[in-house]
Amino acid sequence: MGLKTACHPRIHQLAHFQFDYEFAQDRITVIFGPSGCGKSSLLRSMVGLPSPLECNQLTLGEQNLLRLPTHQRPIVLSAQKPDLLSHLSVQENLRFGFNRRKGNADYFDTVCEATGAINLIGRRTSQLSGGEIQRVAFARALATPATWHLFDEPLTHLDRESRRRITHWLKQSQRSDPRSIVYVTHDIAEAMDLADDVVILGDSGIEQIGGRHTLMHWLGNQDTGVNLLACSVISDELSEGLIALKLDQHTLWVPCTSSIPYENPSYIELSYKDVSITLDEPARTSILNILPCKVTAIESKGEATTRVQLNLGTQTLWAEITQRSCRELGLQIGLSVWAQVKGVSIRS
Amino acid sequence: MTEIIFVTAKLAFVTTFILLVVSPPIAWWLSQGRSWTRSIVEALVALPLVLPPTVLGFYLLLLMAPDALFGRFWMTMTGTPLSFSFSALVVGSVLYSLPFVVQPLHNAFRQIPQSLLETAATLGAAPFDRFVSVVVPFCKKSFITASCLGFAHTVGEFGVVLMIGGNIPGETQVLSIALFDAVERLDFASAHLMAGGLMAFSLLSLIMIYRYNSKTNVGL
């Protein structure tokens, strides 16, 4: 049973916002969008908390959830600024929701372990850092038995590695024990790691609906200055700390900084500024990744810089270079060139 | 003398207990918004702070008289007259000490972050559950302060008790009245004992309250 949700604005500020969507059961739906577009308001309205948005439909099958007060809705929300109950210990916080709705004790333990909250159990809430508070709040919400779990940027204060460890676990556990999750984030990597479905929000509500590919495509049209490329892992074995990724027909060597196994497909982020262009195949260079490609577009960007779109096969790569370099190289559409990418500049 | 102390302590304990039952709902309701009715109730609760206690005592006396509405109601319910009884003292004390318990609680309730209650609600805690598991522990210090103030203030009241108590030994004679009597009798030895005792008790309770509160600033 999906969760049918429709919202309309209560106040002028979000006057054009309309939302009408059915969240799919047992899947992770990532809501992606710029800050201030109403992501948090949407989640708050779904659990019945005061919000600039008002839910006018919230149905789970035949059941109309709008009639239920917050504490009776089968929906748990982990808010953007999570509040631990400061008079309770970490352990009591973790059990707060779990104790009130009878649930599976094994799952509770699994969640505490996977999120690292178990290591914080003896601590007082006042001794926790921002990231630790988020771990506990995340675990507390996920361990609370509910039909739906809503997360509002739950892991923003965690370092990348810890965050990936948690999202990777969540993704894995979805295979054996799927949960229905709505996950708000504006972190590209997190969205790509987690999403089964993607809802892209803008100022007027839903802009696009789809999967990870839709998000990738949408991001490609945004002025982010970052290339987002789909790769597959050629071999799990590291060579001098590097992992080989297949990007179209090319091989990319990327330093492996994470102990978390790569998934296929996996996504890499590469700033436009970290791509340079040569006309001849470079030799005797420190740059590991040299990819033959074709210039497909040239756009000037500001006074001194130019963005050059390069075709790698099925995917495109943008390079940001100076206008002088562009002129001196004589770049033009259709020209075959070599794109150079430093291995260390790739975020994988 | 022990009888007087016993009556005083009993009055203070019973009053404090009743206040701890009555005040939290009032304080909670007051903290949940702003409206004319709330302002009026808040003013009514605070009235004993500014009114001469004799005014309150005077109206209570009229209200509790056996031929008055409340007095008759009490008579039919309990079979004993209300005026000049220990129960009358309790009723008077509860009204008189109400602001001393409601106000610290009101202040504390207003300071509870709304988000804490929201979090508890989304985790499945019902309203009363939220009050018990979030509000009460969060305002624990204010509850202690409020009950100490309520207790100490009840021990120290004079005007209301004088008007409605009747100074019956073993029934309604409390320390403050007995002190007044002793001075009238020129029994300065007893007066010193009682005045000094009350002084020491009040000072000690206030020191304890402020000492306790200096650690955190919730309430008051």
Side-chain angles (χ1 to χ4, degrees), chain A residues 117-286:
Chain A
I118 201 156
N119 304 320
L120 306 168
I121 253 170
R123 305 263 287 278
R124 296 170 62 96
T125 49
S126 55
Q127 298 168 332
L128 301 182
S129 70
E132 289 168 332
I133 289 173
Q134 283 197 326
R135 281 177 200 266
V136 175
F138 183 85
R140 181 177 67 179
L142 194 59
T144 299
T147 322
W148 286 82
H149 289 91
L150 316 183
F151 292 103
D152 193 355
E153 302 187 7
L155 305 174
T156 43
H157 295 306
L158 265 67
D159 60 274
R160 196 174 154 80
E161 175 78 0
S162 311
R163 195 166 61 201
R164 276 200 62 192
R165 187 164 292 133
I166 294 175
T167 52
H168 180 259
W169 165 79
L170 186 59
K171 196 74 184 163
Q172 292 291 317
S173 78
Q174 282 295 97
R175 295 193 183 136
S176 52
D177 183 12
R179 309 265 149 176
S180 308
I181 290 171
V182 179
Y183 197 103
V184 165
T185 179
H186 59 228
D187 183 274
I188 298 169
E190 207 176 359
M192 294 306 268
D193 281 347
L194 280 173
D196 294 314
D197 300 318
V198 175
V199 175
I200 298 166
L201 287 189
D203 290 335
S204 54
I206 296 179
E207 274 192 13
Q208 279 194 45
I209 295 168
R212 281 188 282 192
H213 210 78
T214 313
L215 179 60
M216 248 180 95
H217 194 79
W218 183 82
L219 285 167
N221 293 326
Q222 306 296 308
D223 191 17
T224 54
V226 177
N227 291 293
L228 185 62
L229 302 162
C231 298
S232 54
V233 180
I234 296 171
S235 158
D236 278 339
E237 284 194 21
L238 296 186
S239 153
E240 295 170 78
L242 301 175
I243 190 160
L245 300 176
K246 196 168 158 64
L247 172 66
D248 285 344
Q249 322 80 339
H250 314 290
T251 303
L252 274 185
W253 290 98
V254 180
C256 184
T257 51
S258 167
S259 58
I260 300 147
Y262 283 80
E263 300 223 24
N264 274 326
S266 102
Y267 299 87
I268 57 165
E269 287 172 63
L270 174 60
S271 169
Y272 292 1
K273 291 177 180 161
D274 290 324
V275 182
S276 63
I277 297 171
T278 68
L279 292 179
D280 307 311
E281 183 170 9
R284 297 160 67 87
T285 166
S286 71

Side-chain angles (χ1 to χ4, degrees), chain B residues 11-203:
Chain B
L11 177 66
F13 273 115
V14 172
T15 304
T16 309
F17 177 76
I18 294 174
L19 281 172
L20 280 179
V21 176
V22 173
S23 303
I26 299 175
W28 182 252
W29 179 74
L30 286 176
S31 69
Q32 293 306 294
R34 287 175 185 281
S35 66
W36 265 104
T37 20
R38 283 192 170 84
S39 300
I40 292 168
V41 171
E42 198 176 355
L44 282 173
V45 168
L47 213 50
L49 288 176
V50 290
L51 220 52
T54 40
V55 174
L56 187 66
F58 173 64
Y59 284 120
L60 281 175
L61 195 63
L62 294 185
L63 210 64
M64 289 171 178
D67 54 346
L69 195 67
F70 187 60
R72 256 203 319 246
F73 172 75
W74 186 275
M75 190 74 180
T76 41
M77 293 305 286
T78 62
T80 53
L82 180 57
S83 44
F84 308 120
S85 68
F86 182 75
S87 305
L89 280 196
V90 172
V91 173
S93 304
V94 164
L95 289 175
Y96 189 50
S97 298
L98 194 61
F100 288 83
V101 181
V102 169
Q103 285 191 350
L105 293 181
H106 182 189
N107 286 337
F109 291 167
R110 273 201 305 208
Q111 284 174 35
I112 296 179
Q114 199 58 36
S115 55
L116 278 187
L117 297 170
E118 288 177 352
T119 300
T122 63
L123 293 170
F128 187 69
D129 183 1
R130 296 203 284 276
F131 189 80
V132 174
S133 60
V134 180
V135 176
V136 172
F138 196 83
C139 304
K140 193 178 75 189
K141 280 174 190 278
S142 300
F143 271 95
I144 293 171
T145 307
S147 30
C148 290
L149 280 178
F151 188 91
H153 189 249
T154 305
V155 170
E157 76 184 287
F158 177 74
V160 178
V161 178
L162 187 71
M163 295 291 276
I164 61 177
N167 204 10
I168 303 162
E171 171 80 15
T172 60
Q173 191 178 50
V174 294
L175 273 170
S176 54
I177 309 282
L179 170 63
F180 185 72
D181 275 357
V183 176
E184 276 200 320
R185 284 197 315 270
L186 299 176
D187 177 3
F188 276 52
S190 307
H192 268 303
L193 197 61
M194 287 186 274
L198 279 173
M199 182 90 169
F201 166 76
S202 303
L203 192 63

